[in-house]
Amino acid sequence: MERAFRSPSVSGMAHFDLPLPQLREYRSATGEPDGFGDFWTRTLDEARAAAEPVRLTEVATPLRAITTYDVTFTGFAGQPIKAWLNVPAGAPGPLPVAVEFIGYGGGRGLPIDWLAWNAAGYAHLVMDTRGQGGGWRGGDTPDRDADGAGPAAPGYLTRGVRSPETAYYRRLFTDAARAVETAAELPGVDATRLVTTGKSQGGALSIAAAGLVPDRVRAVIAGVPFLCDIRRAVTISDSFPFQEIVEFLRANPDRAARTFATLDHFDVVHLARRVTAPALLSTALMDEVCPPSGVFAAYNELNGPKQIEVYEWDGHDGGKSHFDVKALEFAAAHL
Amino acid sequence: MERAFRSPSVSGMAHFDLPLPQLREYRSATGEPDGFGDFWTRTLDEARAAAEPVRLTEVATPLRAITTYDVTFTGFAGQPIKAWLNVPAGAPGPLPVAVEFIGYGGGRGLPIDWLAWNAAGYAHLVMDTRGQGGGWRGGDTPDRDADGAGPAAPGYLTRGVRSPETAYYRRLFTDAARAVETAAELPGVDATRLVTTGKSQGGALSIAAAGLVPDRVRAVIAGVPFLCDIRRAVTISDSFPFQEIVEFLRANPDRAARTFATLDHFDVVHLARRVTAPALLSTALMDEVCPPSGVFAAYNELNGPKQIEVYEWDGHDGGKSHFDVKALEFAAAHL
Amino acid sequence: MERAFRSPSVSGMAHFDLPLPQLREYRSATGEPDGFGDFWTRTLDEARAAAEPVRLTEVATPLRAITTYDVTFTGFAGQPIKAWLNVPAGAPGPLPVAVEFIGYGGGRGLPIDWLAWNAAGYAHLVMDTRGQGGGWRGGDTPDRDADGAGPAAPGYLTRGVRSPETAYYRRLFTDAARAVETAAELPGVDATRLVTTGKSQGGALSIAAAGLVPDRVRAVIAGVPFLCDIRRAVTISDSFPFQEIVEFLRANPDRAARTFATLDHFDVVHLARRVTAPALLSTALMDEVCPPSGVFAAYNELNGPKQIEVYEWDGHDGGKSHFDVKALEFAAAHL
Amino acid sequence: MERAFRSPSVSGMAHFDLPLPQLREYRSATGEPDGFGDFWTRTLDEARAAAEPVRLTEVATPLRAITTYDVTFTGFAGQPIKAWLNVPAGAPGPLPVAVEFIGYGGGRGLPIDWLAWNAAGYAHLVMDTRGQGGGWRGGDTPDRDADGAGPAAPGYLTRGVRSPETAYYRRLFTDAARAVETAAELPGVDATRLVTTGKSQGGALSIAAAGLVPDRVRAVIAGVPFLCDIRRAVTISDSFPFQEIVEFLRANPDRAARTFATLDHFDVVHLARRVTAPALLSTALMDEVCPPSGVFAAYNELNGPKQIEVYEWDGHDGGKSHFDVKALEFAAAHL
Amino acid sequence: MERAFRSPSVSGMAHFDLPLPQLREYRSATGEPDGFGDFWTRTLDEARAAAEPVRLTEVATPLRAITTYDVTFTGFAGQPIKAWLNVPAGAPGPLPVAVEFIGYGGGRGLPIDWLAWNAAGYAHLVMDTRGQGGGWRGGDTPDRDADGAGPAAPGYLTRGVRSPETAYYRRLFTDAARAVETAAELPGVDATRLVTTGKSQGGALSIAAAGLVPDRVRAVIAGVPFLCDIRRAVTISDSFPFQEIVEFLRANPDRAARTFATLDHFDVVHLARRVTAPALLSTALMDEVCPPSGVFAAYNELNGPKQIEVYEWDGHDGGKSHFDVKALEFAAAHL
Amino acid sequence: MERAFRSPSVSGMAHFDLPLPQLREYRSATGEPDGFGDFWTRTLDEARAAAEPVRLTEVATPLRAITTYDVTFTGFAGQPIKAWLNVPAGAPGPLPVAVEFIGYGGGRGLPIDWLAWNAAGYAHLVMDTRGQGGGWRGGDTPDRDADGAGPAAPGYLTRGVRSPETAYYRRLFTDAARAVETAAELPGVDATRLVTTGKSQGGALSIAAAGLVPDRVRAVIAGVPFLCDIRRAVTISDSFPFQEIVEFLRANPDRAARTFATLDHFDVVHLARRVTAPALLSTALMDEVCPPSGVFAAYNELNGPKQIEVYEWDGHDGGKSHFDVKALEFAAAHL
């Protein structure tokens, strides 16, 4: 089924970032924060220590070609995280598995929202995004945060930003790593054929998970990934969600240094450096939501085989389903 | 004392049309044009007289659960029209079939764009939209118009609007009726279990086709249908595409009467009156693209069993995939 | 000091709500929810049971005419809430006291932001708004919510909206009532001369606190109050924050009934009915953020002496400092 | 008569293109397509082979100082094209003649729209624009295209863009060349004193016609010409009509190379190179519709005497009637 | 010559005012201010007492069919006012004369801006607008105001609005009446064949002058006239210039009554009542700058033969040159 | 697969001017106009020659901590200028004094609008801005201009811009210098402890006054000052008020050289060079109203001790009350 109509008044955004040849060489000027590796090792260890067994409940839908499960696994600090697991009905296993993460503001929605990987023969685990799902597609997972996160701009970028420990994205990145670990242990799944995938925030999580649990991931697909080279993005993008940082710092100018020091821990550039699996990324030269220099900053750190699709004329919906076809082809080639 | 509030932005569109109880009773004030039935009978007869056999070519995709055919059938005046036919791979037939029409400005895109009806066990014929497909999803079918259509506002609403005979929508409505006739004759399809479906312009075509070839259609699904109660819509909507009419009449004020007389032939309200199949419609109370009074004006003319989903808080994307689930359930109940 | 510049391109919003004579008679169509009184009694009792003594720490500022204290008192469930207490330096007590609440998205900011009530001879307690303060003026109070609130639209209106117990505004309204109780017990304050005051969300809290602890409040001042007649506001306003509800229901259409049932517990109309103190309200006929029908719906329920300033030509900044002068005069007349 | 009112909220667009000294030296990086000369020679030959005699019908208007004729001449492939011919009433001939082309989206409108060249003593032939005239000023000439042009973005830039042969602008450029040839043969006209003129799309046609039939044109006037250095314009302009290309390529990303290869045939830069007549151009440094680098790219190729008016503070209406005066003075000096 | 390009993104404004049948009956609710007649009699008498002889200086232009004079006549309080006088070159007199007034913000511009009335055989006096001419077309007449007008919103509506005596429009209306008296005495002019004309502010002045010096005016043409039924317009229009009043009253809420009492003296409705000459008006149902109810409020007061063109689909440019043709035909029929 | 992200809105303005290191070195390319010093000496001498004694009238307010006087002093050419004088009630003098100037479009408003300097122990003279005060905060001072200023864009930048002698800002700058001279002579004031202060236009006046009467000013505080490096600002800012110049030159392209020659006399850069008092400035890197390069152009000319607060994430409200605290601390350190 389809989107009903596109407003003809939506216009573009000229090539506002660096010229393409410079983009291809671009590296972030921001270094890895001290203790970065320890921070994540400790965080993941705590999540694993608190982990509980995954629960699957079959769900009825009008989609007879797909068997759907409502999944609950444990993410950050052992907190319960929802997901959908869609499996081609009656397919003989073990199946390769795609672990998908979602764009900013959306939740896992309905099982019918997730059809392509099944149609291509994969088991498909779609992780819900904690706290999100009230913006444009429904969700079911609360963001538990017993301490209280303190003032933040509406949205998630500055939630808990007073320290890496309390930051929202610490919890979400950990959920993503745990989703990969969970997917690898699902019945009927071939754990050696696991791909992470997603767009925008989902693309960021796709890279982040592959950097956090690199031995679990066989391929990475990240469309127009968010959270790359954050310090630069904030100075060249007028769009949300990066504008949340601007909004927060306007209200709280004295917190700028601390805010960026926290955000450095969730800059995908630093986790891209830990990725060794084959990776497919995309970027769009008119994308002011996730500027292309950030995507290249992450891409240029990847340590495995890699490929990038550059959409010269697109904004943040870079490539649309043309990229989805590339993604399935890339996965077929590497799994 | 302080500034009271900072507006982070404005979106949405309050309940701008009639209150819901009045909508439920609303009837269009525009009568059926003289010779309306003859006009369509003659047009369809000519199309059938010029018809040629459908051609199907299998297409490779990364979607192993689906067999895809590139379809060419003949529409208005025997002109070739493209479509995708997606069939569940290896499914034992005959299968029920969904004939889908596309929203304004888009073309048939890629096979991967059309997964839900297959996942639900249907053969799925997706008709390309002549001339469209340059706006937000690609297309492959030219709009042949040997006479030349004369000046028009950019878009399709006023293309050829100097007479019903030359109007663009005469051609497109005929293509839609012919798509239904084509689908009914496809191999492996159960012609007695055919549903038309679509959103916005696709919804309009879904109703129109069911009104033009009522004996072929077993169920009709039309999300937020376009082209309903056109004369009123133009006075209450500021949005495109209805604004194309306004734009055209601003440039050509002397052509108003003739323009509306032409458009009356493509007002879905008059074809809804010929629909006897069970029908599911949707409308959204904040939809200024296809105002709810128009949708109810069409709904209230339907002559078969009928159901309408009212999304109180949505705009033109009324219901999104929540409606898609309703659609599949409705089809399962009636086919 | 002053706001630097107003963009001349900001335009108005014609008189979009009911005509003024009808506004003066307007009553909300939404009834008080079952168990409303018990809900609040229980909530306040729990907060009082968990209360701890207020803490005051003097703070240095360049304002020699004012003595400022950084205040921590306990609000909902005994959770710590920050405030500023500004007292005219060297003034002989006991002083009348103004308890001020803040507009949507802002925090308590800096002591210099709060000068007028001191200049008029009052002690001035400015309550920080939990979780807010990242939007346009900084804050210092986290929103503690151990359960996790579940998906919500960015902002606060739909945070925890799955039930009255978990809703964000349950916590904030309770904080406001507790701020009044705290102010009444401050040293140097004349507890019999207490006025609540605020604009927009601050106006809502000003009424709510006066309805929750009516025997503590001697006068109520609420400029363009928010959260009035919510069910209607959502259908006539295109502006944030009411649009957050629309956004949330678009993503989660199945949760509409539950959402409104929750919000009814925080509709100021029902607490206005419990206010017996003299009250001064304002509304602006071009205010689409807090539509005038809502303000009148609350005003018409007030049970004490009352006065309303109607700004015919203003938007949501209705009256600006002209209203501030009215507010100080009203307080002087009633305290 | 006059335009009634200018919205004060229309603001500018800072100097967004190259600095003026660099503009003065700027050359396009796009080379002339292979076979460019042959393409146009063949196209014009075919049009001439199919040509039929011009028809003139006198039209009554309230303008007693002007004699108006409704003109039909043959353009591309011998297709009929409308025009107005306004001649100073009772003027002794032969008269110099101005051939005017129209901006994007507009048609020839009414005879009263075309007064200045008559007032200056010229016969004035105003060519209607095929298919256009539904956007902001009415037209009367259909765009005949028997093959069907295939999907295109709304508008004309991408109509038929699958090849130079089928492209809309092939037909329109040919019409323009034929309009010049027609004007030269009109009774009462001094064929040795012919000027082409127009703004925006009209300016592009004014240069194009002078490049296509250079021996017929004695002077060229092109205000803010469109279609110059198209490949660059698309990367620096966010405005329509260049955005139509972006829109088309977003829907059809696989067609980018073919699209630009087609458009190269209609890049005015390559026809400017063939112009030897004296030429007056204008550009505006805040014109994002037709960026100044494109105008200079064309200007710097002109091979005759030339002059350019640079409006530093204007957008796309560069110079308005100040430029019109320059144009009449330039024509008087060179004819 | 022509306007170069119309932005396709300009959209409409649905039928927002009363339905057409109610418009046809609509009367303003605002009564004529006390002393209205005396006010204007006194003002005109003072202007005449201070009047000096008109001065004409011939000006060279490239328009050989027109003889242009730079005119200086005396308006309000004998202050010098500029105008253009365009006369058909070599035409035998005496000629009928059109006195034209200009839309808000513009000045007399260049002689080339004023061609239609000459082409139709009239002498044409175009009055410059004091102080205006810095907004969208240049001007040459200062607004002398020795007292100083006091604070005002940017623009002219609230300039000097503290009293009718000091209001800007007192001076401008008087200039307009004096322009008519001046035109009637020009050499070569037939004073019995004088028409006032203009659009928007120019339409307001066209009616106002005809109401102030009714015995001098033989026909009145007013396109989409401004300044009609001001008190209502301010509550239904969000557009400039009426928003200037809103802006002024937001800054100065205590001056509302005095401001409207002043503006009543310049509400065209009251001067329309004094018009006995045949009149042609226009209105557009999507014109939010000069809402149609105001135009009908003035139209319904006219006391001579009258005609109104209603453009159902236009905004403030109602009818464009289609109306200009109507205007010339109307003048030809009545002069 | 899914739609990647829904943009909730766009705000902000990325770092659009020079990078910060270049800003710190930036110097204006515009030289001081010939006769600049004489122009101002003569103007001030005339104002002093026409000066009359200041008048003070006590005004009642609800602010018991403050004694307010309505002040009338003589500014340019001896014309009366209003001001508020707020003095801490009952404070023992002599007091240091702050002379404050107001942002563009606003007037002195109400005494309650001016509290901070009193709270910090200063006498506070707030100069009304002639002619302004109709835009966003009320005013009481007319702009007397007996000659009539000629056409201008709405607003003040181009009022009287035909020569330095007639320009609006000549009068306003002179008023500001006279306000300083007036403040120094007020009873109870310590003339050796005088600070000028203001934001935007108020910041420009704060620097200008200190440059015009340098021996009177002990400290200068200018937040985001306007009118700096005007020739460059017009080419990089799309915002009002600088857009007024663009608007004026669009209507009057022949007046560009004269307009800039006039404005050079009011470019704060040239008066900054005459400032020797300690100065505190602020700028914001996202401020498109008063671009940071202009602020640095002025800052880099200052000849006394100086300090600049750079707000990296703010627009034109740079720093808000955070800067106000800096300002009071700076004043305390230097007076």
Side-chain angles (χ1 to χ4, degrees), chain A residues 262-282:
Chain A
T262 294
L263 291 172
D264 286 346
H265 289 75
F266 312 101
D267 195 316
V268 165
V269 165
H270 306 313
L271 287 166
R273 215 171 279 129
R274 285 158 166 78
V275 173
T276 52
L280 170 68
L281 268 61
S282 73

Side-chain angles (χ1 to χ4, degrees), chain A residues 139-164:
Chain A
D140 298 291
T141 305
D143 174 30
R144 299 207 178 170
D145 177 25
D147 291 335
Y156 307 91
L157 258 181
T158 61
R159 187 177 284 188
V161 82
R162 73 174 185 270
S163 74

Side-chain angles (χ1 to χ4, degrees), chain B residues 2 9 11 14-15 313-314, chain C residues 136-137 234-235 238 240 250 324:
Chain B
E2 67 156 319
S9 87
S11 86
H15 289 180
W313 312 105
D314 278 356
Chain C
W136 53 273
R137 194 176 50 210
V234 175
T235 69
D238 288 338
F240 280 91
R250 288 179 174 181
D324 298 340

Side-chain angles (χ1 to χ4, degrees), chain A residues 109-196:
Chain A
L110 304 178
I112 199 175
D113 296 328
W114 310 100
L115 302 178
W117 286 95
N118 271 259
Y122 292 73
H124 191 195
L125 184 75
V126 183
M127 184 182 90
D128 204 17
T129 309
R130 56 167 64 222
Q132 301 185 26
W136 54 273
R137 194 175 53 210
D140 298 291
T141 305
D143 174 30
R144 299 207 178 170
D145 177 25
D147 291 335
Y156 307 91
L157 258 181
T158 61
R159 187 177 284 188
V161 82
R162 73 174 185 270
S163 74
E165 274 69 26
T166 55
Y168 170 83
Y169 277 104
R170 181 189 184 212
R171 300 192 291 276
L172 185 60
F173 277 32
T174 306
D175 295 346
R178 288 286 304 137
V180 168
E181 295 178 341
T182 297
E185 292 165 10
L186 288 173
V189 153
D190 177 355
T192 67
R193 301 171 66 204
L194 185 154
V195 57
T196 58

Side-chain angles (χ1 to χ4, degrees), chain C residues 195-219:
Chain C
V195 56
T196 58
T197 185
K199 290 180 180 172
S200 195
Q201 178 183 268
L205 292 172
S206 183
I207 298 170
L212 290 172
V213 289
D215 49 335
R216 293 287 199 179
V217 177
R218 184 76 163 276

Side-chain angles (χ1 to χ4, degrees), chain A residues 136 234-235 238 240 250 324, chain F residues 2 9 11 13-15 313-314:
Chain A
W136 54 273
V234 175
T235 69
D238 288 337
F240 281 92
R250 288 178 175 185
D324 298 340
Chain F
E2 67 154 321
S9 87
S11 85
M13 174 70 185
H15 289 180
W313 312 105
D314 278 355

